[in-house]
């Protein structure tokens, strides 16, 4: 008997289109795996055990089945995006438990392409932090369940890394796709601003947040991004030709260092790309000393906006403090020029180089603890010290990827980050594909 758990989205969709299997069979196998494993992992807030098989049958009956790019593919959706008939809780007790009347546009596009939503995944409250735990559940890293999956798309990443779904939908406002992808050994793309519809929270954190895929292969990430962007299949950009790649292992934030395993992963990846024919040079972007303040101001101000309509008494203490601080920054963020100044400062670097290669994280993910019960400062320090490399590219609005590369001393995956100028998603995917081809990674955690 063929099993579809562990197969890629590309493989599953092809089999469904060719009627070698049915959407119901595929979905049933993945729901069974969720039932068996999620008690240990905590990826899902809601599992659509009854609704998903029924929707799978609807996909099977579609007249356009043979042309659906995600025919019968089970997907998980981050719990800050509306799924018709389900509540959207964003990890909080302060949000209403009211079923959504319509799908978020990205969910609608996935469903139009033939995907079946099997559940909504856990997030930290209001998707603020880089660890996923709270009143609705705790998402653990399938490679090491003693550690967090990361955040804020932690549940989505954990679901994919555990083989509970082949792909998942998440979003990224300060690294919320790249952080959990790097922790869990996945490929992700934070697209550049405007490539995929956002509509996240109340104002997309001033346009810094982007929706994107979490996948185990570059090809699955490419396919899902094409669907989310509602464009023709994003093909590799210029299969031949050397790119100018800068490798930097310097933290953008003063006083934060990158650990040896992650710095080593970036250097090793640079060597692989150099041997593949690219022009690779060691070069650090001219990050301003003010970057830490700019990041904190936008991070907290975005939370202040999202919390404004909620009963703050129902928020956890760390979220209340974060939002209160953000209210002080709101006017400066709304009327300031810090983000445009950062783009102007970094633009000449990306005229000299096509791609920036960095470590994805500074160190391995924190232990899985009730961080939502810890103080605000402790949370901020933990987040900043392990993920200083992702926020600059939300501030600029430029595309960035996390790609598995190498192994940490614990045996969990390491990862690198790829960054490009606006409009270079296909170029980044090509480089990621070369890394995958030359240094393949184990696609899912060994959970049995």
């Amino acid at each position: 008997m063929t099993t579809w758990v562990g197969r890629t989205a590309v493989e599953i969709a092809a089999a469904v289109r060719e009627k070698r299997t049915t959407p119901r069979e595929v979905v049933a196998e993945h729901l069974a795996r969720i039932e068996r494993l999620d008690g240990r992992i905590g990826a899902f807030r809601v599992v659509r055990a009854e609704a998903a098989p029924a929707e799978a049958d609807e996909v099977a009956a579609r007249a356009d089945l043979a042309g659906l790019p995600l025919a019968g593919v089970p997907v998980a959706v981050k719990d800050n995006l509306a799924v018709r008939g389900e509540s959207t809780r964003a990890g909080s007790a302060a949000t209403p438990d009211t079923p959504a009347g319509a799908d978020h546009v990205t969910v609608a596009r996935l469903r139009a392409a033939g995907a079946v939503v099997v559940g909504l995944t856990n997030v930290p409250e209001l998707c603020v932090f880089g660890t996923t735990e709270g009143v609705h559940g705790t998402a653990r890293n399938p490679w090491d369940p003693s550690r967090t999956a990361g955040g804020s798309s932690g549940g989505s990443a954990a679901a994919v890394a555990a083989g509970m779904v082949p792909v998942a939908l998440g979003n990224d406002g300060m690294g919320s796709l790249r952080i959990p992808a790097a922790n869990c050994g996945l490929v992700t793309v934070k697209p550049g601003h405007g490539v995929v519809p956002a509509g996240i929270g109340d104002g997309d954190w001033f346009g810094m947040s982007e929706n994107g895929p979490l996948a185990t292969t570059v090809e699955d990430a490419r396919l899902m991004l094409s669907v989310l962007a509602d464009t023709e299949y994003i093909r590799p950009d210029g299969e031949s030709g050397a790119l100018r790649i800068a490798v930097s292992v310097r933290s953008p934030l003063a006083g934060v260092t990158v650990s040896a395993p992650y710095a080593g992963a970036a250097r090793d990846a640079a060597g692989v790309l150099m041997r593949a024919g690219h022009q690779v040079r060691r070069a650090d972007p001219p990050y301003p000393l003010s970057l830490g303040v700019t990041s904190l101001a936008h991070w907290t101000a975005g939370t202040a906006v999202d919390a404004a309509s909620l009963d703050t008494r129902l928020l956890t203490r760390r979220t209340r403090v974060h939002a209160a601080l953000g209210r002080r920054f709101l006017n400066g963020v709304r009327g300031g020029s810090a983000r445009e100044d950062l783009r102007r400062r970094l633009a000449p670097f990306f005229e000299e180089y096509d791609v920036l290669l960095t470590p994805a994280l500074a160190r391995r993910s924190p232990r899985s603890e009730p961080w939502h019960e810890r103080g605000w400062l402790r949370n901020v320090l933990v987040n900043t010290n392990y993920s200083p490399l992702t926020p600059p590219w939300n501030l600029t609005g430029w595309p960035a990827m996390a790609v598995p590369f190498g192994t940490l001393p614990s045996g969990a995956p390491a990862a690198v980050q790829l960054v490009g100028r606006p409009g270079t998603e296909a170029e980044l995917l090509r480089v990621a594909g070369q890394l995958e081809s030359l240094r393949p990674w184990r696609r899912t955690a060994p959970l049995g």
Side-chain angles (χ1 to χ4, degrees):
M1 175 182 170
T2 301
T3 179
W4 298 103
V5 167
R7 306 291 284 272
T8 68
V10 168
E11 291 170 331
I12 290 171
V16 169
R17 288 193 298 265
E18 296 162 11
K19 299 194 174 179
R20 291 185 278 117
T21 188
T22 66
R24 176 176 275 266
E25 180 181 354
V26 172
V27 167
E29 285 192 17
H30 286 84
L31 286 172
R33 187 167 176 87
I34 292 169
E35 184 177 14
R36 182 163 65 87
L37 294 180
D38 202 41
R40 293 157 54 191
I41 303 302
F44 288 91
R45 179 181 72 84
V46 171
V47 178
R48 307 182 74 241
E50 295 182 4
E55 291 179 13
D57 289 342
E58 293 174 6
V59 171
R62 284 176 58 168
D64 59 350
L65 178 67
L68 297 178
L70 291 174
V73 174
V75 300
V77 174
K78 185 176 180 178
D79 192 23
N80 66 341
L81 297 170
V83 173
R84 184 183 65 251
E86 306 290 350
S87 59
T88 308
R89 300 306 304 272
S92 182
T95 51
D97 190 17
T98 306
D103 288 331
H104 185 276
V105 59
T106 53
V107 177
R109 287 180 178 181
L110 291 174
R111 281 179 154 161
V116 178
V117 178
V118 298
L120 284 77
T121 57
N122 278 316
V123 298
E125 187 170 55
L126 304 189
C127 301
V128 174
F129 294 100
T131 59
T132 294
E133 63 294 299
V135 295
H136 298 296
T138 295
R140 299 174 180 272
N141 188 339
W143 292 90
D144 180 357
S146 72
R147 296 194 170 270
T148 179
S152 63
S153 305
S156 285
V160 178
M164 292 188 273
V165 287
V167 290
L169 177 60
N171 38 56
D172 189 315
M174 293 291 275
S176 288
L177 281 166
R178 288 160 290 158
I179 294 167
N183 285 330
C184 296
L186 303 178
V187 182
T188 192
V189 186
K190 179 197 78 68
H193 184 65
V195 173
V196 173
I200 306 159
D202 189 359
D204 310 324
W205 276 14
F206 310 100
M208 295 192 304
S209 293
E210 306 292 347
N211 292 309
L214 287 153
T216 64
T217 68
V218 173
E219 203 63 19
D220 274 6
R222 190 196 316 274
L223 172 60
M224 191 170 170
L225 181 61
S226 300
V227 170
L228 294 173
D230 195 23
T231 187
E232 289 187 24
Y233 191 58
I234 298 173
R235 301 193 179 280
D237 184 22
E239 283 298 337
S240 59
L243 295 174
R244 301 166 300 166
I245 299 177
V247 57
S248 172
V249 298
R250 174 193 162 199
S251 166
L253 300 182
V256 179
T257 59
V258 176
S259 67
Y262 278 101
R267 293 189 183 103
D268 289 349
V272 167
L273 293 173
M274 182 180 294
R275 290 188 290 276
H278 296 292
Q279 301 172 20
V280 181
R281 300 286 184 272
R282 173 71 186 269
D284 295 327
Y287 302 117
L289 286 175
S290 59
L291 183 59
V293 174
T294 301
S295 297
L296 181 66
H298 286 76
W299 183 22
T300 57
T303 303
V305 172
D306 285 346
S309 62
L310 302 176
D311 183 346
T312 57
R313 295 170 298 179
L314 298 177
L315 297 174
T316 61
R317 184 161 58 96
R318 68 174 182 177
T319 306
R320 289 199 305 271
V321 174
H322 208 73
L325 180 61
R327 286 193 290 273
R328 302 180 184 182
F329 287 121
L330 271 174
N331 289 338
V333 166
R334 284 173 170 153
S337 61
R339 292 181 64 195
E340 183 55 38
D341 292 344
L342 181 63
R343 283 189 284 262
R344 277 197 299 266
R345 184 182 180 96
L346 294 173
F349 183 87
F350 283 91
E351 291 172 4
E352 186 174 354
Y353 298 100
D354 301 305
V355 174
L356 170 65
L357 167 66
T358 77
L361 299 172
R363 49 191 42 82
R364 65 178 178 168
S365 60
R367 295 195 66 82
S368 183
E369 298 179 3
W371 290 102
H372 61 299
E373 298 174 0
R374 306 284 190 258
W376 174 81
L377 182 58
R378 186 173 174 188
N379 272 274
V380 168
L381 290 175
V382 163
N383 278 248
T384 301
N385 282 323
Y386 105 98
S387 181
L389 295 125
T390 55
W393 316 113
N394 298 93
L395 291 166
T396 61
W398 297 345
M401 292 187 67
V403 183
F405 193 91
T407 306
L408 301 176
S410 66
V416 296
Q417 178 177 232
L418 301 173
V419 184
R421 65 177 73 86
T424 60
E425 287 82 2
E427 196 168 76
L428 297 181
L429 284 160
R430 173 164 74 95
V431 176
Q434 289 181 309
L435 291 174
E436 180 182 33
S437 174
L438 296 169
R439 287 285 185 89
W441 50 79
R442 182 166 182 169
R443 293 178 40 245
T444 54
L447 290 167

